[in-house]
Amino acid sequence: MSSTTIQVTNSVTMGMYEPPKAMSRWRDTSKAIVTSNAGASSSIQAESGHENKFNYEYASPEMTEPSLNSEDIARLSEKVQRRLAQNREAARKSRLRKKAYVQQLESSRLKLAQLELQIQQTKQIASHMGTTLHANLGFTGHNNAGLAAFEMQYGHWVEEQNRQNCELRTALEANVSDVDLIMLVDVGLNHYSHLFRIKAEAAKTDVFYLMSGMWRTSVEQFFIWIGGFRPSELLNILMPQLESLTSLQMDEIGRLRYASRQAEDALSRGVDKLQQTLTQIMFAEAVGVEMYGIQMTSALEKLGAIEGFVNQADHLREQALRQMSRILTPRQAARGMVALGEYFHRMRTLSTLWSARPRDTG
């Protein structure tokens, strides 16, 4: 060991050692850094504290726990009760809608079953009508394409009448508006007008075919009057089916029925007069073949008036239906159309049952 090392060691040991100047500067620098860091730390903490205070002061109500008083609790309870009541009401309405929907489905199912039954009955009636017509044509010797076309058109007319009747009944049960009922009634009236038009065309081919009623079922033929039904009888059928008729409506219907009977009587007298005239012409004493030819020619000319009587009777029927619809309200008119269609449908059904009845062969 050198003398210098020994001297330093002794100096440290004795507490008398003084570090070099470079060492002293390094120590001062370290103190400054520590002091600076401490100041910065204090500044950061201060800023952090300020920021936390800012965040706390300006925080949203959701971030702070609200303090509720008794009024707030009462309002909150009212709101909850109101919401629960609304939910209960919504649930009740939903149950009612579901119940109505189920009832509607059941009603539709019953209507569909009824419609299928009516279609089946109509097919049976049409089949029976076709058999009857072919038998009659074979017996009388008629084989006219015009009458066959009329029979086909009339079969389609019956099917469409049944369809319209079901539609009107459904509309009444559904309580549709008067505007919709007026449209359906007009469709029904136009459908009857179509029947009178095709009858007028058939009358040009063979008016006696229409007069005899061979194109209708057997029960309908029993009530035939100049190729159809008496308008006054149709009014008598409709009257009991109508509800809440006012005194004014009753008076107007009474006048319409009276006018219809007057016109019917006039047409009936005209037909009777024509029959008498034909009888006088055909059975007058004839002198020679030439006079016989004159008689037949005159009879043919008189016989042509039958077509006019059928057309006038159909015109009277159409006017009675349209006048009746004007007197009634839309709902009453719809009920009347349903009743009229049901009346004809039952007569055709009765004809089918009559033809299919068991017969005593003994």
Side-chain angles (χ1 to χ4, degrees):
M1 181 181 300
S2 62
S3 59
T4 305
T5 302
I6 295 171
Q7 183 180 359
V8 171
T9 300
N10 294 334
S11 299
V12 172
T13 302
M14 297 175 64
M16 299 171 56
Y17 173 74
E18 292 182 4
K21 293 182 179 180
M23 192 73 97
S24 177
R25 284 196 303 271
W26 176 82
R27 188 178 294 116
D28 295 339
T29 304
S30 298
K31 288 182 180 180
I33 292 174
V34 171
T35 304
S36 175
N37 289 338
S41 175
S42 300
S43 175
I44 290 173
Q45 291 178 357
E47 291 180 3
S48 177
H50 179 71
E51 182 179 357
N52 290 338
K53 181 179 179 182
F54 174 84
N55 290 337
Y56 178 78
E57 290 177 353
Y58 295 94
S60 60
E62 290 80 1
M63 297 175 60
T64 61
E65 182 178 357
S67 58
L68 300 177
N69 53 30
S70 58
E71 293 181 359
D72 293 335
I73 293 174
R75 281 196 297 270
L76 183 60
S77 178
E78 264 181 38
K79 185 175 182 182
V80 170
Q81 293 298 328
R82 189 165 54 253
R83 181 62 59 84
L84 291 175
Q86 291 174 353
N87 290 343
R88 286 194 297 269
E89 180 66 16
R92 187 185 67 83
K93 291 182 178 179
S94 178
R95 288 193 298 270
L96 291 177
R97 285 194 297 268
K98 182 179 179 180
K99 183 178 179 181
Y101 178 70
V102 172
Q103 291 176 348
Q104 184 179 5
L105 288 178
E106 182 64 19
S107 177
S108 299
R109 185 185 68 80
L110 293 176
K111 291 175 183 177
L112 180 61
Q114 182 182 11
L115 183 60
E116 290 177 350
L117 179 61
Q118 290 178 349
I119 291 174
Q120 186 65 27
Q121 291 175 348
T122 302
K123 288 181 179 179
Q124 294 175 357
I125 293 169
S127 176
H128 170 70
M129 288 177 58
T131 303
T132 303
L133 178 66
H134 290 310
N136 288 332
L137 289 179
F139 178 77
T140 58
H142 286 291
N143 189 13
N144 192 288
L147 296 182
F150 169 75
E151 182 189 355
M152 183 179 298
Q153 289 176 328
Y154 179 68
H156 294 325
W157 187 91
V158 170
E159 293 179 0
E160 178 63 17
Q161 185 192 38
N162 290 332
R163 189 197 67 78
Q164 291 182 6
N165 220 40
C166 291
E167 188 176 3
L168 259 176
R169 188 182 293 107
T170 302
L172 286 171
E173 293 174 355
N175 199 25
V176 300
S177 65
D178 289 349
V179 175
D180 293 332
L181 289 177
I182 291 173
M183 292 176 61
L184 292 174
V185 170
D186 287 341
V187 169
L189 292 174
N190 292 334
H191 190 57
Y192 280 98
S193 298
H194 176 65
L195 173 62
F196 301 140
R197 284 194 298 270
I198 63 177
K199 283 179 63 180
E201 290 297 321
K204 296 176 182 177
T205 302
D206 190 348
V207 66
F208 291 103
Y209 170 74
L210 292 177
M211 288 282 291
S212 66
M214 289 189 300
W215 50 285
R216 290 187 179 271
T217 58
S218 55
V219 176
E220 289 176 296
Q221 293 175 25
F222 181 68
F223 295 91
I224 209 76
W225 173 79
I226 312 182
F229 291 86
R230 289 180 179 270
S232 60
E233 291 300 323
L234 295 181
L235 295 177
N236 290 335
I237 293 168
L238 295 179
M239 286 291 292
Q241 308 300 324
L242 303 176
E243 299 175 358
S244 304
L245 289 172
T246 64
S247 57
L248 178 60
Q249 287 177 321
M250 293 288 290
D251 293 340
E252 290 179 348
I253 293 174
R255 286 193 291 269
L256 176 60
R257 186 164 44 187
Y258 177 79
S260 297
R261 286 175 179 171
Q262 293 285 65
E264 291 167 11
D265 292 340
L267 287 175
S268 296
R269 287 194 298 269
V271 173
D272 293 339
K273 181 65 176 177
L274 178 61
Q275 291 176 342
Q276 294 174 6
T277 302
L278 288 173
T279 301
Q280 292 172 0
I281 293 174
M282 293 178 63
F283 291 95
E285 185 177 356
V287 181
V289 177
E290 183 177 347
M291 190 62 186
Y292 180 80
I294 293 174
Q295 287 178 335
M296 291 298 104
T297 301
S298 177
L300 284 175
E301 291 176 354
K302 296 294 184 181
L303 204 58
I306 291 291
E307 182 178 343
F309 283 116
V310 172
N311 292 335
Q312 289 179 48
D314 280 343
H315 178 72
L316 181 60
R317 284 183 271 265
E318 180 178 7
Q319 290 303 310
L321 290 176
R322 293 195 175 275
Q323 287 291 337
M324 190 71 171
S325 67
R326 294 189 188 101
I327 295 172
L328 302 175
T329 64
R331 193 160 300 276
Q332 290 172 338
R335 288 197 188 99
M337 292 294 291
V338 170
L340 193 60
E342 185 65 22
Y343 174 73
F344 292 138
H345 173 71
R346 291 183 180 183
M347 295 192 73
R348 291 189 287 265
T349 303
L350 183 59
S351 296
T352 302
L353 296 175
W354 172 257
S355 300
R357 76 192 188 283
R359 293 173 174 82
D360 187 7
T361 58

